[in-house]
Amino acid sequence: MQLRDFVIRFGAEGGGGIVTASEILAQSATQVGYHALTFSTFPSQIMGGPVWTQTRISVNPVLSAGDDVDVLVAFNQEAYDNHRGDVREEGVIIYDSGEFQLEDESRSLGLPLDDLAKSTGNARAANMVVIGALAQLFGMPQDDLDEFVTKRFTRGRAGDQEIIAANLKAMYLGREQVTGSGFSIGELAPPSMPDYEQVMLAGNQAMSLGALAAGLDFYAGYPISPATTMLVYMERNLVGPGKFAYQVSSEIESITAIVGAGFAGKKAMTATAGPGFSLMSEGLGLAWMAEIPLVVVDVQRGGPATGLPTKTEQSDLMACMFPAHGDVRLPVIAVGSVEECFYGAIKAISWAERYQGPVILMSEISVADRVQNILKPDISKVEAEQRIVHQGSNGYHRYSGFELSPMPIPGNPGAYMANGSEHDEMGDTTHLPERHIQMTERRFSKIKLLEEDEYERDQADQPVVMMPWGGTKGPALEAYNTMKEQGIPIGWFYTMLLNPLPPKLLEELKKKELVIVPELNYQGQFSSILRSQGVRAQSITQYTGLPFKVRDLISKITEMTQSHIKEVVRA
Amino acid sequence: MSKKNPEYDFKWCPGCGDFGVRRSLEFAMIDRLEETGLPMENNVVVAGIGCSGNLVHLLEGSQPYGFHGIHGRSLPIAMGVKMARPDLNVIIVAGDGDFLSIGAEHIGPQASRNLNVCAVIMDNGVYGLTKGQSSPTTKLDVITPSTPYGKIEAQLNPLELYLTLGVSFIASGFSSQPRPLAKLISQGMNHPGFSIIHIQSPCTTYNDTFEELKGNVKKGIEPTLWDIPDTHDPSDRAAAYGLLQEGGVPVGVIYNDESRPTLDQRAESIRQKANPKSVQELMDSFQF
């Protein structure tokens, strides 16, 4: 049997390196021309606790982590107990027989992983034993793996050759074990190597690169899962002339420091997650009020307060759009794939500079931590926007009129007061009603500058359509493709630009009988925003801390379309 | 521009100490302009929220850039400005409530960083703008609207706090001495590192301490202000501690350490040795 799509899940105690194992598997698969995507989820602790990771390998570009597991690799009894139900009937369970025994499981293959690893002379090679076993199970040629291992462990150190030899030996041992067992899953259909250049990276890495490509100058951040990797990346790489990246002492410092940097003429950004975002509330209101360009990335995690620091959710949308007290509604861009992480960051920085104010860039764990192969973005084609700067003399009225006025930069003529209190055109504090009216309208009028008609549409003439946002895009698109094949009458809309929505998109949505919004939160936040703009939107919600399964989406959406048709007929 | 702006409707009470501080700051900035030849727009004044924060609107003559932000956050805003543009002269103006209560969490980190900004702190021992509540520097047992039975927490000694946290230049001044105060502010602005000029700037409406500070011979009241003698060595940390144990309000430079690199200098030395990759090289590193 030829497989076109293949899902491997690893379950273990945290700290054992299975995140690395799933990434190695993905890397080795993409190296030979397959597409791959990883997903991982774990408790909030350095070591220990139940961790599971998943790699999906396919001959086509991968949209989601996959519902059903073809091979489960269980490193302990708990992993087996938790995940056996997700393994499809013809699937295989590989387990660590040095750790526990499975007597009544016919689909299982026990491997004494530690003993096998130790016999290679490298006790840490257990993951390679597993990868060898997996490669044998789905008939992956060893030549490619040899090349991959050699590349990965050639680091210009004295012990390189030994380590390579031990890892290769571990792989062969894994293969031997499977060969002798009689287990097989089938054979992976041959890959068709894409005819374009590819990169393989995580969402947070792509987003950091996008920001750098857009000319980011200044980054301040505070460690918080799952945004920390961006801080770490920036600290290492944002160090050129005139650049600065720094770990400050709280998210209050992050936001106010980038307010200062934005005021001083720099492209400034921070990245955080829920609790840090809450602390930034007042500072975001300040940036809106004083008209300071900056970008805040919110990599969403689960729940209010400390909540679920390592689980995925889409429950910050309202907070991102309305983060502060007073009349504030911030521009919001939400990314739904690793590729969009890159382009979303460029868009967010461009928006901030264009309208001279704060922009929120939303991501979420399932996108931020996901490692995926994508078309290599062409850096030379990135056109990030620059701020319109005041070039004239002193005595300038920075907050004059409506929409936009060129921004003076400290050190140059045009000194003014950037003011978080209500102010007149010079920036001086005022309490006059007519001035508060004018300035409030001025701030909102600038949002119009961000209206762009960038969105996806398919079967757009259908009266019932689906429109996911953010990371739900992947599983929703997979569900949509399947439903389209099945002839279920439904259309597709999607955009990264949640506020302001592309005007033409909004026009189209308003004409729909029903817009179905799958989203990972309890309240149905996006559908309620759409309803407030005159769209007949209804959510499919989930709040488990995990992404949607494609299967669940198909059944719920099908059900909603059918009951909608019944209602229409009855009416 | 601001003083003649009819729309700007903020006023200090008659006799407010902040008038003197404003005058001193103007002196210091004009002196700097004359000494360095750099335009006034090279100065950025970041203000806290409170009566003192409005100082930034009231300056006469050519204007520095101003930032009137949010309560307690003048230090991190100033850090953003300074680290974005180390060539700018960044000054903070804030009061005891803003700087020492809600904003106190930022003093320690900036001291460790030795951020090269000068903080001009106006201490009136009270929350004036909200009408007289107790602040960290209000004395124990004092009755205010928010301490109707007397204040039940000890009075903070800000100078000791700054010294303990590692602020590299600490001076203490009085609002009614504009010229000597201007000199302290100039020293602070020229100091390579984090400087704080902590100023007694009494509130004539809610906490008038002028008489207590200056003394009154007729009433037999001894002044609490006293000039730091020339014999004091500000580079001697132990001597600085000793000075602060003598009570009253010392006036002059308490501590001065010019040996530490500033945050922007450290950042620059990292830039020199980091040899960062271009965005294209970074992208290429993910190619396979």
Side-chain angles (χ1 to χ4, degrees):
Chain A
M1 189 181 77
Q2 274 213 331
L3 300 166
R4 302 182 57 78
D5 193 275
F6 195 79
V7 174
I8 306 105
R9 183 178 296 176
F10 300 85
E13 181 82 1
I18 61 167
V19 175
T20 318
S22 61
E23 288 179 7
I24 288 177
L25 193 61
Q27 281 170 0
S28 51
T30 52
Q31 207 103 63
V32 298
Y34 293 104
H35 296 273
L37 176 152
T38 70
F39 172 81
S40 61
T41 183
F42 39 85
S44 182
Q45 54 202 38
I46 296 174
M47 293 276 215
V51 177
W52 62 274
T53 67
Q54 192 157 305
T55 302
R56 186 171 179 189
I57 296 168
S58 174
V59 292
N60 299 314
V62 185
L63 293 170
S64 77
D67 292 357
D68 299 316
V69 175
D70 293 285
V71 178
L72 170 66
V73 183
F75 286 82
N76 57 28
Q77 179 79 43
E78 191 186 4
Y80 169 74
D81 293 342
N82 285 343
H83 301 294
R84 55 188 284 196
D86 290 337
V87 181
R88 66 182 176 85
E89 225 164 278
E90 319 81 61
V92 173
I93 297 166
I94 295 176
Y95 69 97
D96 187 351
S97 57
E99 192 69 31
F100 68 109
Q101 291 300 321
L102 289 180
E103 307 290 339
D104 307 326
E105 180 62 84
S106 61
R107 306 175 290 177
S108 70
L109 167 61
L111 303 180
L113 293 176
D114 281 345
D115 289 349
L116 289 170
K118 275 180 198 149
S119 74
T120 69
N122 182 352
R124 291 158 65 192
N127 283 328
M128 284 298 170
V129 176
V130 172
I131 287 169
L134 291 168
Q136 186 65 28
L137 265 182
F138 50 80
M140 206 167 168
Q142 185 58 35
D143 287 357
D144 300 326
L145 289 171
D146 283 354
E147 190 192 327
F148 172 74
V149 168
T150 311
K151 245 189 197 172
R152 183 177 172 94
F153 294 102
T154 303
R155 301 167 188 173
R157 294 180 201 155
D160 281 1
Q161 287 311 316
E162 270 171 50
I163 293 171
I164 291 167
N167 277 293
L168 287 176
K169 193 174 172 200
M171 269 190 178
Y172 291 124
L173 285 174
R175 274 189 184 270
E176 266 172 33
Q177 297 282 325
V178 172
T179 315
S181 72
F183 276 103
S184 164
I185 284 278
E187 199 161 317
L188 265 179
S192 53
M193 181 62 99
D195 57 357
Y196 46 82
E197 289 186 331
Q198 294 188 91
V199 285
M200 177 121 186
L201 72 182
N204 274 355
Q205 288 168 326
M207 191 171 274
S208 305
L209 278 171
L212 294 176
L216 184 73
D217 297 303
F218 192 102
Y219 184 97
Y222 185 79
I224 184 168
S225 298
T228 312
T229 47
M230 292 187 71
L231 168 66
V232 170
Y233 195 80
M234 291 301 182
E235 289 268 18
R236 174 157 300 277
N237 296 306
L238 189 64
V239 284
K243 311 278 181 181
F244 186 59
Y246 192 60
Q247 178 183 328
V248 293
S249 65
S250 69
E251 285 88 352
I252 291 177
E253 284 206 342
S254 302
I255 184 68
T256 44
I258 65 169
V259 163
F263 164 75
K266 299 289 187 178
K267 287 180 174 174
M269 182 169 109
T270 184
T272 187
F277 191 80
S278 294
L279 285 181
M280 293 184 186
S281 173
E282 193 185 13
L284 281 165
L286 171 63
W288 169 262
M289 193 75 173
E291 303 189 24
I292 308 295
L294 56 86
V295 173
V296 173
V297 176
D298 176 25
V299 189
Q300 296 167 96
R301 54 195 231 181
T306 306
L308 295 164
T310 55
K311 300 289 176 182
T312 207
E313 202 162 276
Q314 301 180 291
S315 49
D316 290 357
L317 182 58
M318 287 291 190
C320 285
M321 209 177 278
F322 309 103
H325 61 271
D327 267 330
V328 176
R329 184 188 177 105
L330 294 192
V332 173
I333 297 170
V335 297
S337 69
V338 171
E339 221 160 350
E340 286 181 9
C341 285
F342 181 82
Y343 292 105
I346 296 168
K347 176 72 79 184
I349 288 177
S350 292
W351 271 18
E353 298 297 319
R354 190 194 304 167
Y355 102 110
Q356 297 177 7
V359 173
I360 309 300
L361 179 58
M362 298 184 76
S363 182
E364 58 208 81
I365 290 183
S366 65
V367 177
D369 282 356
R370 170 199 301 178
V371 175
Q372 191 173 7
N373 63 308
I374 61 166
L375 167 70
K376 185 183 182 186
D378 187 345
I379 299 280
S380 68
K381 291 212 176 105
V382 171
E383 280 177 24
E385 294 174 34
Q386 308 299 332
R387 194 177 310 180
I388 298 171
V389 166
H390 171 66
Q391 308 275 15
S393 57
N394 279 325
Y396 174 65
H397 290 191
R398 189 263 182 278
Y399 298 111
S400 174
F402 292 90
E403 293 201 338
L404 201 69
S405 41
M407 186 169 170
I409 306 299
N412 302 318
Y416 72 106
M417 175 79 56
N419 201 339
S421 303
E422 190 55 288
H423 42 265
D424 64 13
E425 296 180 337
M426 297 179 246
D428 274 341
T429 304
T430 180
H431 301 85
L432 292 179
E434 57 266 36
R435 190 60 84 184
H436 185 47
I437 293 167
Q438 182 236 323
M439 284 296 164
T440 301
E441 290 173 359
R442 170 189 163 86
R443 290 185 285 270
F444 278 96
S445 74
K446 294 197 301 171
I447 295 285
K448 279 213 166 310
L449 300 168
L450 307 179
E451 288 180 349
E452 292 174 37
D453 283 315
E454 274 182 28
Y455 60 98
E456 295 175 12
R457 61 203 286 282
D458 193 52
Q459 304 201 130
D461 52 350
Q462 288 290 345
V464 178
V465 300
M466 57 191 282
M467 181 162 152
W469 66 277
T472 293
K473 180 189 184 182
L477 186 54
E478 202 172 323
Y480 170 74
N481 289 338
T482 307
M483 287 187 292
K484 190 178 167 184
E485 270 171 33
Q486 293 170 352
I488 294 168
I490 187 149
W492 167 267
F493 285 94
Y494 173 82
T495 184
M496 286 200 288
L497 315 179
L498 301 190
N499 187 48
L501 278 169
K504 278 191 185 148
L505 167 63
L506 187 55
E507 228 169 87
E508 287 202 70
L509 291 177
K510 279 180 178 169
K511 290 179 193 147
K512 297 298 167 196
E513 290 175 13
L514 177 63
V515 176
I516 299 169
V517 181
E519 52 184 327
L520 296 174
N521 60 63
Y522 174 78
Q523 300 178 86
Q525 296 188 14
F526 189 43
S527 75
S528 99
I529 286 167
L530 286 174
R531 283 195 299 277
S532 78
Q533 295 181 58
V535 176
R536 285 177 286 269
Q538 212 177 312
S539 292
I540 294 170
T541 62
Q542 176 180 303
Y543 30 97
T544 53
L546 295 169
F548 279 109
K549 284 192 168 178
V550 174
R551 182 197 305 126
D552 294 345
L553 282 177
I554 291 174
S555 81
K556 280 183 184 153
I557 292 170
T558 309
E559 195 181 303
M560 280 171 86
T561 49
Q562 281 166 355
S563 63
H564 175 74
I565 291 165
K566 273 185 211 154
E567 271 173 41
V568 173
V569 170
R570 221 178 291 134
Chain B
M1 61 179 178
S2 310
K3 205 178 183 192
K4 294 188 187 74
N5 179 2
E7 205 174 315
Y8 180 54
D9 48 11
F10 183 84
K11 284 191 181 73
W12 282 325
C13 306
C16 176
D18 293 351
F19 284 107
V21 180
R22 185 192 77 191
R23 197 83 203 113
S24 309
L25 184 60
E26 282 171 349
F27 284 147
M29 285 200 295
I30 290 162
D31 288 349
R32 184 176 185 276
L33 191 145
E34 282 166 5
E35 278 163 30
T36 62
L38 292 167
M40 194 51 100
E41 300 90 68
N42 190 252
N43 296 303
V44 176
V45 183
V46 180
I49 298 299
C51 290
S52 60
N54 284 286
L55 181 150
V56 68
H57 295 264
L58 295 167
L59 297 166
E60 288 182 56
S62 69
Q63 291 297 304
Y65 274 79
F67 203 116
H68 201 170
I70 46 177
H71 197 38
R73 313 301 168 201
S74 57
L75 265 174
I77 292 172
M79 175 172 74
V81 177
K82 186 69 187 179
M83 295 313 293
R85 289 283 304 278
D87 59 304
L88 299 172
N89 180 41
V90 181
I91 301 151
I92 286 164
V93 292
D96 48 303
D98 182 288
F99 198 71
L100 294 169
S101 188
I102 186 171
E105 71 192 63
H106 305 296
I107 304 171
Q110 302 303 0
S112 306
R113 295 163 189 155
N114 205 24
L115 180 73
N116 192 7
V117 301
C118 175
V120 175
I121 304 307
M122 284 151 268
D123 183 355
N124 59 7
V126 75
Y127 283 82
L129 204 55
T130 50
K131 302 200 186 302
Q133 298 78 17
S134 80
S135 89
T137 52
T138 304
K139 289 186 185 118
L140 186 68
D141 295 332
V142 166
I143 289 170
T144 74
S146 62
T147 54
Y149 307 107
K151 190 189 180 202
I152 56 172
E153 70 191 52
Q155 181 186 12
L156 177 77
N157 184 334
L159 299 170
E160 263 189 54
L161 176 75
Y162 304 150
L163 196 55
T164 304
L165 291 175
V167 177
S168 59
F169 182 96
I170 303 161
S172 169
F174 178 42
S175 61
S176 296
Q177 304 166 341
R179 267 295 165 193
L181 183 55
K183 198 180 157 213
L184 291 178
I185 295 173
S186 291
Q187 280 176 275
M189 292 193 313
N190 292 331
H191 171 73
F194 188 20
S195 60
I196 299 180
I197 318 301
H198 191 89
I199 302 159
Q200 298 301 314
S201 179
C203 172
T204 45
T205 303
Y206 294 110
N207 189 24
D208 192 339
T209 52
F210 275 115
E211 192 172 67
E212 178 190 322
L213 289 162
K214 291 193 284 192
N216 187 329
V217 185
K218 284 180 204 158
K219 294 186 190 166
I221 297 170
E222 288 290 316
T224 52
L225 291 169
W226 54 279
D227 288 330
I228 296 172
D230 294 343
T231 50
H232 173 63
D233 175 7
S235 69
D236 184 340
R237 196 178 174 84
Y241 268 112
L243 201 77
L244 298 178
Q245 308 313 313
E246 291 177 29
V249 180
V251 175
V253 178
I254 290 160
Y255 184 64
N256 181 12
D257 177 4
E258 294 181 6
S259 67
R260 290 170 55 198
T262 63
L263 186 64
D264 55 290
Q265 285 167 345
R266 286 186 193 275
E268 190 52 39
S269 68
I270 282 174
R271 281 183 203 111
Q272 298 300 329
K273 69 182 175 196
N275 194 20
K277 293 194 175 94
S278 70
V279 187
Q280 187 62 58
E281 288 170 320
L282 290 170
M283 183 61 83
D284 292 345
S285 71
F286 292 102
Q287 195 171 344
F288 61 90

